[in-house]
Amino acid sequence: MPIILFAIFIDLLGFGIIVPILPFLTLKYGGDAMVGTALVSIYSLMTFLAGPLWGRLSDRIGRRPALAATFLGSTVAYIALAFSSNLIMLFVARAMSGMMAGNVGIAMAAMSDLTDESNRGRAMGLIGATFGLGFAFGPFIGGLLGSVGGEPNIFLPALAAASFSCTAMFLTARFMPETSKHRSGEDDEESAAEAKKPLPHWSVVLKSPGQLALFAMFFITAVGQSICFAITPFWAQATLGWDQVKVGFLLAGVGLCVAAIQSLAIGPLFKKFGELKSLMIGASAHLIGCAILLFGPGTVTTALIAFPLVMSGLTVSFPALNSILSKRADKRLQGTALGFSSGMSALGRVFGPLAGGMAFAGYSANSPFFVVASTGAIAFIWALTEVRRLNSA
């Protein structure tokens, strides 16, 4: 488990390095907020298309080789990004990176292999904490490297990201054990018998009761989260006059909040309240943060209070929804199911930044956060409905 988490942290560190510099690089090459959010969306579109395929592949050949392959692909994509000198090259490089983002679903499947239902939620929380740490340190490093020379540049941040992905590939290939029981060579008789059977058709993961609504929640919560990450740099520049360095500090602080909640609070929260009620608690914090941002003054204090609440609140959905899904899915299809969840989240990250960019450009800097608030409200209502359905069953 530590090897999986560390490899994902290294890779997410590289991804986080790119986040604060892309909006400013878009402006440098003649784009606007709409083009910048489209640059985020192309990454997510390719993740949506490739995520389920990577998950299915990991069910067939094992988690370790599939995960190592995604890290190798990310290394190549970041090198291409380093030498991008116009918007077209940026879009091509980000599309390549998006195709390799199936490592998230594979890592969740590996963690599911290593845990049982009693500690599944905590394991998913640890992956969420790893994301938070990657986004905490990555934007901080990216903001500094991206300002070398006095103007936004992608060369040094992208090379740093490539080196991190290459390190993650080496760690995975060299030290990570195979976690899928029927691929590890350590099967008991029952697992060996199951391994000889052909994998069920992928469509099985969609046919359980309530499964389509569950996958829809991955899409909806990702819309809210992605708008936050895509619009925050533009909001900070328009409202507070911040540059990429200050935006990097803000995202780093939010990432630390997310990491603290995911690593320290998720396990006890799920144990005491369960995944669904914990999701309701997180959505409530998310809605409070949106209200502060929408109706409070456009000041640094508002940003420092609201953004951690907004992003940390709905981030509870990540481990909660994946824990619920992994418990409902066939053990032999964990990679497929979690690959689909990763794909649906990616689809939400396609539409989220585009919707946020249109609202930002067409109305005001605050208007995208009305959409963000609505996603938190939907998450709360769905979780409440599920709790009532299970209680009455």
Side-chain angles (χ1 to χ4, degrees), residues 308-331:
L309 280 173
V310 172
M311 297 187 189
S312 299
L314 200 56
T315 198
V316 174
S317 65
F318 178 87
L321 293 173
N322 280 299
S323 178
I324 294 168
L325 176 61
S326 67
K327 292 176 181 179
R328 294 181 180 180
D330 187 307
K331 291 182 179 179

Side-chain angles (χ1 to χ4, degrees), residues 66 82 243 266 287 301 327 343 352 376 379:
D243 60 12
I266 289 297
L287 288 169
T301 300
K327 292 176 181 179

Side-chain angles (χ1 to χ4, degrees), residues 196-280:
K196 294 179 181 178
K197 298 179 182 179
L199 286 176
H201 194 266
W202 62 265
S203 62
V204 171
V205 303
L206 302 175
K207 295 179 179 178
S208 301
Q211 203 79 330
L212 290 178
L214 175 57
F215 280 116
M217 288 309 304
F218 284 100
F219 171 82
I220 290 167
T221 56
V223 167
Q225 292 169 346
S226 61
I227 290 176
C228 288
F229 281 109
I231 292 299
T232 296
F234 294 102
W235 182 93
Q237 184 191 46
T239 305
L240 303 176
W242 284 3
D243 60 12
Q244 64 266 26
V245 176
K246 292 180 179 178
V247 171
F249 279 117
L250 175 62
L251 293 177
V254 170
L256 288 175
C257 290
V258 171
I261 291 172
Q262 297 277 8
S263 60
L264 301 176
I266 289 297
L269 198 64
F270 285 6
K271 186 174 182 180
K272 183 174 179 61
F273 298 106
E275 287 89 344
L276 290 169
K277 291 183 179 179
S278 297
L279 179 56
M280 293 168 63

Side-chain angles (χ1 to χ4, degrees), residues 154-193:
I154 196 63
F155 184 73
L156 291 179
L159 285 187
S163 67
F164 285 129
S165 289
C166 186
T167 301
M169 178 193 67
F170 171 77
L171 291 173
T172 301
R174 179 66 179 84
F175 298 107
M176 176 182 165
E178 179 54 58
T179 62
S180 182
K181 290 184 178 179
H182 64 282
R183 298 290 174 189
S184 65
E186 299 177 359
D187 315 58
D188 54 29
E189 293 183 4
E190 182 179 353
S191 298

Side-chain angles (χ1 to χ4, degrees), residues 68-92:
T70 63
F71 290 145
L72 174 61
S74 293
T75 303
V76 175
Y78 285 132
I79 292 174
L81 184 65
F83 292 95
S84 297
S85 57
N86 54 56
L87 288 175
I88 293 177
M89 293 178 69
L90 284 179
F91 273 95
V92 171

